Amino acid sequence: MSGMASDHNNSSQEEYIPHYLQKEDPFASKLSREADIVAGFYLTIIGILSTLGNGYVLFMSSKRKKKLRPAEIMTVNLAVCDLGISVVGKPFSIISFFSHRWVFGWIGCRWYGWAGFFFGCGSLITMTAVSLDRYLKICHLSYGTWLKRHHAFICLAIIWAYATFWATVPFAGVGSYAPEPFGTSCTLDWWLAQASVAGQAFVLSILFFCLLFPTAVIVFSYVKIILKVKSSTKEVAHYDTRIQNSHILEMKLTKVAMLICAGFLLAWIPYAVVSVWSAFGRPDSVPIQFSVVPTLLAKSAAMYNPIIYQVIDCKFACCRSGGLKAKSSLKKSRTYTISAHRDSSAMNETQLE
């Protein structure tokens, strides 16, 4: 019986033909022209806001690039990833939605898929590194005494190498990039899992190393931070006012990091669920009109981070003005960083120990 089941499974895999091979033109839009126009305007707005927000972050950071602390360097890298998604990827999809078809052919499809996955993976791994930084900063106070700028640059090199490896693996013959079912965008070829065991191994590897594992690290870090904060509240109350203010500022900065990670995951999890269902569920069981919604939601992720930080960081100026000069506080509050002010952080690292 098991042999018969195995033969049936193999035969079903051999018989499966992905959507982009079932029709002569895989790049023709499967949506109505009106729906494509709405999606095009939506992505245009998202792209403009994301480009302006992340561009502003990088511009402000460039003014004090030699003074950026390790945690600031990591969050600047997040802005680079988000800006890359907006500048490199979105014009392709915007033009295609307005054209009612993907107009860049297979080469453009593979480039677009690679760029989207590369910058998306870079964003998630960067947020994973930021969450670990927050965890070590709050739960292991001695950590802040040895972290230097060159450690942050080493971490950046690892992040970019990691993203490059997984984004380039499909070009080595173990995976691929393919058009989405609705025709006007491209992504990883999740449908390979329906065709072969090798395709299933590829998809599972991508899911584990580029989604599940980083997400697990982020969740672990912030759960440990929450538990640590609850247990240390009474201890901090016995410190003097300056140390208490530093601790409060670290907590607020950690909340910003949590919101950024939560925004990213909320934007991408629906897309991941639909992709997994397309890979391992019943073939072609996801309606085309439904599959476009998670894709558009995921494309908005690059816009959230500057908004989240700028809105909440307005409160940091008020928090810092009690112990710092108002002019310096207002200037520092616009640097899109998930670390405390240099003076406050230095005090926190030395006195909290």
Side-chain angles (χ1 to χ4, degrees):
M1 291 293 291
S2 60
M4 292 176 61
S6 177
D7 293 339
H8 176 73
N9 183 50
N10 292 334
S11 63
S12 63
Q13 289 180 341
E14 292 173 358
E15 294 172 359
Y16 175 72
I17 301 177
H19 64 274
Y20 52 85
L21 296 179
Q22 294 176 4
K23 298 181 181 180
E24 294 182 0
D25 188 0
F27 299 123
S29 177
K30 311 306 187 296
L31 304 174
S32 66
R33 185 171 294 276
E34 292 76 13
D36 278 335
I37 292 175
V38 171
F41 277 115
Y42 167 81
L43 290 180
T44 300
I45 295 172
I46 294 296
I48 292 174
L49 292 177
S50 177
T51 301
L52 292 177
N54 289 291
Y56 174 76
V57 166
L58 295 179
F59 173 73
M60 295 303 296
S61 299
S62 67
K63 291 186 174 182
R64 52 187 301 272
K65 57 185 177 181
K66 293 183 179 180
K67 298 181 180 180
L68 292 176
R69 300 178 67 254
E72 293 176 303
I73 294 172
M74 298 303 299
T75 52
V76 167
N77 188 65
L78 183 60
V80 172
C81 292
D82 291 341
L83 187 63
I85 293 175
S86 301
V87 174
V88 176
K90 282 187 173 59
F92 285 80
S93 55
I94 291 171
I95 293 173
S96 296
F97 274 114
F98 282 126
S99 300
H100 198 48
R101 63 174 288 106
W102 179 263
V103 298
F104 302 100
W106 278 103
I107 294 178
C109 181
R110 294 187 178 100
W111 158 251
Y112 175 85
W114 181 90
F117 185 41
F118 173 72
F119 288 114
C121 182
S123 293
L124 182 58
I125 302 304
T126 300
M127 284 186 286
T128 304
V130 170
S131 69
L132 281 174
D133 173 78
R134 292 289 87 203
Y135 162 68
L136 294 172
K137 183 73 175 179
I138 301 300
C139 300
H140 302 278
L141 299 178
S142 61
Y143 158 79
T145 63
W146 61 263
L147 184 68
K148 306 300 181 183
R149 280 172 60 95
H150 70 273
H151 293 123
F153 288 117
I154 292 173
C155 187
L156 290 186
I158 294 173
I159 290 171
W160 288 113
Y162 193 92
T164 301
F165 173 79
W166 286 109
T168 310
V169 161
F171 294 129
V174 297
S176 182
Y177 293 99
E180 300 266 18
F182 49 88
T184 48
S185 181
C186 294
T187 184
L188 279 168
D189 193 347
W190 302 104
W191 303 271
L192 284 175
Q194 298 280 357
S196 66
V197 175
Q200 293 176 357
F202 163 72
V203 171
L204 288 173
S205 298
I206 291 293
L207 286 173
F208 178 78
F209 289 104
C210 300
L211 179 63
L212 297 179
F213 177 69
T215 301
V217 173
I218 291 173
V219 172
F220 166 82
S221 298
Y222 290 124
V223 167
K224 295 292 287 185
I225 287 172
I226 292 171
L227 295 176
K228 179 66 176 180
V229 170
K230 287 184 177 180
S231 64
S232 62
T233 301
K234 294 182 179 180
E235 298 177 8
V236 175
H238 295 293
Y239 295 140
D240 61 42
T241 303
R242 291 184 304 168
I243 296 179
Q244 290 181 26
N245 290 339
S246 296
H247 182 77
I248 292 172
L249 187 56
E250 286 291 344
M251 292 301 101
K252 289 192 174 184
L253 293 164
T254 301
K255 290 177 182 179
V256 173
M258 293 175 67
L259 283 174
I260 289 175
C261 291
F264 183 91
L265 294 176
L266 289 175
W268 278 97
I269 284 177
Y271 178 78
V273 171
V274 171
S275 299
V276 171
W277 184 260
S278 299
F280 299 102
R282 187 166 55 86
D284 305 323
S285 59
V286 179
I288 292 177
Q289 291 76 10
F290 177 77
S291 66
V292 71
V293 177
T295 301
L296 294 177
L297 179 62
K299 293 180 186 297
S300 68
M303 179 189 68
Y304 298 153
N305 296 346
I307 295 176
I308 291 173
Y309 195 82
Q310 291 299 325
V311 169
I312 297 182
D313 200 38
C314 290
K315 300 178 182 179
F316 292 172
C318 298
C319 178
R320 287 195 287 251
S321 62
L324 302 171
K325 293 181 180 180
K327 181 178 179 181
S328 174
S329 176
L330 290 173
K331 184 176 179 181
K332 297 290 185 181
S333 69
R334 295 183 176 273
T335 57
Y336 185 70
T337 171
I338 304 179
S339 64
H341 184 276
R342 186 175 183 179
D343 296 337
S344 299
S345 294
M347 178 185 65
N348 189 40
E349 291 169 5
T350 56
Q351 296 189 23
L352 280 181
E353 293 176 13

